[in-house]
Amino acid sequence: MQAMTDANAARSSGCGDSSPFLDELLEQAVGREDVYLAAALHPFAGEDDRERLEPILFATPRLRRQLAAAPYTPGSVLAQLVARTSDSKLRERIARHPATPPETLRELANGDVSEALAEALAGHKSTPAEVLAELKWRGSVSMQKALAGNPALDCDLLAEIATEAPLEVLKEIAKHSNADALLLQDLWSRGGDTYLRAEIAGNGHCPEGLQEAAEKDGAPLVRRLLAANQSVRVERLVRLLGDPLPQVRAAAVRNLLLPAEELDSLIDDPSRQVRRTEARRDGLTESLIERLAQDEDEWVRRWVARNRATPEGVLRQLAEDEVAEVRRAVARNPVCPRDLLFELAKDRDNWVRAGVAFRHDLPEPVLRELAAEEDADILTGIGQNPAVSNEILQKIANHPDKDIRRAVVLNEKAPLEIVRILQDDPYPLNRAIVAGHPALTAAELREMVDDPEPQVRFIAAQTLVRKAPNDVSTKTEHATGNTAE
């Protein structure tokens, strides 16, 4: 059902009858009592049509439970489900559903609110601020924790909860993005718990005085979260580069506030963790890159090979590395010279050649050579490559391996004549992805609305309703009665 979730993410809030196919699809959903098609169309339907769809959607308790929890369920369906049920378990499910709209959450809060429902509302990212403020949290650690973990909670309520919260809740409050300097100062003064101090040190609102205390803290975790804090001054990060603990030094290296030239002080750091983190940074000096390229740790060399700042000479050196993953990393580097890519396209290891296959800047002869191979990873890379010819794409679209065929479906540049080959693919997931491909016209989508697999029908219907009003070919076909049935 993940494909449904992806399609539903781009859902419109409602299109009325803007699609020339909407009425036809509504009749199909009602006539066939198709739950999945009804769910897909519900957000786009007018009030009268929704009343025709809802008896299908809510026909049985099992269907209602399924819709209350299914990731693909539109918010409009969840809203109507709330209006039609007093089942406490069902309402709790809806309150936890990420697609539940704010107005529906407000309606749930206005009814009979059980402890479990209140907890779900407290943790939901879309619960309105005024609803959060009215929830009863005193005496309930679970409610306090749910509220403290909600990014929408304001600082005043956080501070109020902190007056009686246990340590586990205080830690949640300490890392909340809305906790201000005054609240963090109060939390720091409460005691010596290492984890609480660490969360405060890592908070972007941690005041200067507490940052100074955290820098001198004896607990490595406190210093590590301070080094990762995106509000720390550069001078403090430079000092943290000299910390005796590698975890702290690595966190400071990873912090993008630290100028890359400061990393030269760690050119021979004894920790692999620190050197690996260095190798991933932008703007490294050439001397540091050259040193890291000779590192005994293959992961350090792999990250150097992927780094855009790595000079051509170093890339050529790494392209001869004994470890295939390092050579593949060179092939995946956007600044890898073309002639070096051609050499790597003939590498002895399939995985390296597969890395080349994903490149969008390969000439036709190299693409043809790689397409002639049998390795699944190589063919997958070629199938997803937007630079590949239709002739090669057609060959891969007809491959016996369903996973290799799917590479073509994932290629957004694949033309309609190739995508059509996979429209009737025997593997349902491939068809579900095809239903969302940008090359499909409304005519093809209309055919896929009749697919035997529910997830395919769902995605095809929603894509069709959104796409059809802007599809010139569809308007012409529909006007002449030449729709694909």
Side-chain angles (χ1 to χ4, degrees):
M1 295 298 180
Q2 183 61 43
M4 289 186 178
T5 308
D6 296 338
N8 197 44
R11 183 175 63 245
S12 168
S13 60
C15 293
D17 58 357
S18 60
S19 166
F21 280 116
L22 182 56
D23 289 341
E24 181 183 342
L25 294 176
L26 287 167
E27 292 305 322
Q28 179 173 327
V30 173
R32 299 181 184 180
E33 298 187 348
D34 188 328
V35 174
Y36 291 89
L37 195 52
L41 297 175
H42 192 275
F44 307 97
E47 186 176 346
D48 291 344
D49 286 319
R50 286 185 177 187
E51 290 181 1
R52 298 169 65 207
L53 296 174
E54 286 158 11
I56 300 168
L57 291 167
F58 310 140
T60 66
R62 182 174 177 274
L63 274 176
R64 294 194 289 273
R65 288 193 301 271
Q66 179 182 335
L67 287 168
Y72 57 83
T73 304
S76 63
V77 173
L78 295 169
Q80 287 302 313
L81 190 51
V82 165
R84 290 167 174 262
T85 184
S86 58
D87 185 313
S88 60
K89 295 295 182 184
L90 204 60
R91 293 168 76 86
E92 289 166 22
R93 282 192 182 189
I94 296 169
R96 290 190 176 89
H97 199 292
T100 302
E103 284 303 319
T104 304
L105 293 166
R106 184 181 283 108
E107 184 180 346
L108 285 166
N110 288 334
D112 183 16
V113 181
S114 65
E115 185 175 348
L117 176 58
E119 204 173 308
L121 291 168
H124 201 290
K125 307 297 185 291
S126 297
T127 301
E130 69 273 15
V131 173
L132 293 174
E134 293 297 324
L135 292 174
K136 296 177 173 58
W137 50 266
R138 296 188 184 280
S140 171
V141 174
S142 60
M143 273 295 294
Q144 293 169 8
K145 195 168 185 179
L147 283 168
N150 192 319
L153 205 69
D154 62 36
C155 186
D156 289 342
L157 189 49
L158 284 170
E160 190 177 350
I161 293 171
T163 59
E164 66 173 61
L167 182 60
E168 63 179 298
V169 177
L170 293 180
K171 292 179 202 173
E172 293 294 322
I173 295 173
K175 64 183 178 183
H176 200 288
S177 60
N178 289 336
D180 64 12
L182 190 62
L183 176 55
L184 295 174
Q185 186 76 56
D186 175 61
L187 294 175
W188 185 278
S189 68
R190 300 240 187 146
D193 183 79
T194 297
Y195 293 97
L196 179 59
R197 297 197 314 276
E199 295 295 357
I200 295 169
N203 193 302
H205 295 140
C206 183
E208 179 64 24
L210 294 187
Q211 289 187 19
E212 184 176 351
E215 184 182 348
K216 299 173 183 176
D217 199 289
L221 178 63
V222 176
R223 303 196 305 276
R224 176 166 67 82
L225 266 65
L226 175 68
N229 192 325
Q230 293 299 302
S231 69
V232 172
R233 291 186 291 110
V234 171
E235 310 91 87
R236 178 162 283 120
L237 282 175
V238 172
R239 290 196 297 271
L240 289 167
L241 287 179
D243 196 278
L245 269 296
Q247 303 97 309
V248 179
R249 297 197 303 276
V253 170
R254 195 177 296 113
N255 194 320
L256 297 180
L257 294 176
L258 181 74
E261 58 266 22
E262 297 290 347
L263 300 177
D264 279 359
S265 64
L266 302 176
I267 196 165
D268 289 312
D269 195 281
S271 167
R272 289 183 304 175
Q273 180 184 5
V274 173
R275 300 195 308 274
R276 288 177 181 181
T277 308
E278 283 181 287
R280 300 177 68 171
R281 280 292 306 261
D282 294 332
L284 300 179
T285 62
E286 190 166 329
S287 59
L288 180 53
I289 289 175
E290 289 175 352
R291 173 65 188 89
L292 293 171
Q294 300 173 27
D295 201 280
E296 63 181 5
D297 182 72
E298 71 172 73
W299 272 99
V300 175
R301 302 197 305 277
R302 284 167 68 170
W303 286 119
V304 172
R306 285 296 297 266
N307 198 314
R308 286 174 175 265
T310 301
E312 180 179 328
V314 177
L315 288 177
R316 292 188 183 278
Q317 167 196 324
L318 293 170
E320 298 178 0
D321 197 280
E322 62 181 10
V323 177
E325 289 283 5
V326 176
R327 302 196 302 276
R328 176 184 167 90
V330 175
R332 300 294 290 135
N333 193 320
V335 301
C336 180
R338 283 170 64 89
D339 67 305
L340 188 53
L341 277 179
F342 300 161
E343 292 179 27
L344 291 168
K346 298 178 181 179
D347 192 273
R348 62 185 180 275
D349 192 283
N350 290 347
W351 188 233
V352 177
R353 300 198 303 281
V356 177
F358 280 92
R359 295 293 297 247
H360 300 175
D361 50 359
L362 295 177
E364 183 69 17
V366 176
L367 288 169
R368 284 187 175 278
E369 284 183 25
L370 291 171
E373 302 219 29
E374 297 180 358
D375 181 79
D377 292 316
I378 294 174
L379 292 178
T380 298
I382 291 294
Q384 293 186 41
N385 196 316
V388 77
S389 69
N390 289 357
E391 177 189 349
I392 294 174
L393 282 178
Q394 183 170 1
K395 173 187 172 184
I396 296 176
N398 286 297
H399 197 280
D401 188 312
K402 65 181 186 301
D403 297 324
I404 294 176
R405 295 196 304 273
R406 191 181 311 124
V408 176
V409 186
L410 295 171
N411 188 336
E412 292 192 354
K413 297 296 184 182
L416 178 59
E417 59 266 30
I418 303 299
V419 177
R420 274 181 177 146
I421 297 172
L422 295 156
Q423 191 177 342
D424 297 316
D425 194 278
Y427 190 54
L429 177 60
N430 288 355
R431 301 199 306 278
I433 299 173
V434 166
H437 196 282
L440 283 191
T441 67
E444 283 76 34
L445 288 167
R446 181 62 189 86
E447 292 178 12
M448 299 191 80
V449 173
D450 295 320
D451 195 278
E453 288 295 325
Q455 66 265 41
V456 179
R457 299 197 302 276
F458 185 99
I459 297 171
Q462 286 210 330
T463 306
L464 177 58
V465 174
R466 289 195 303 266
K467 183 185 183 77
N470 301 315
D471 192 318
V472 177
S473 63
T474 299
K475 291 179 181 179
T476 304
E477 291 171 357
H478 200 74
T480 59
N482 190 31
T483 54
E485 294 290 349

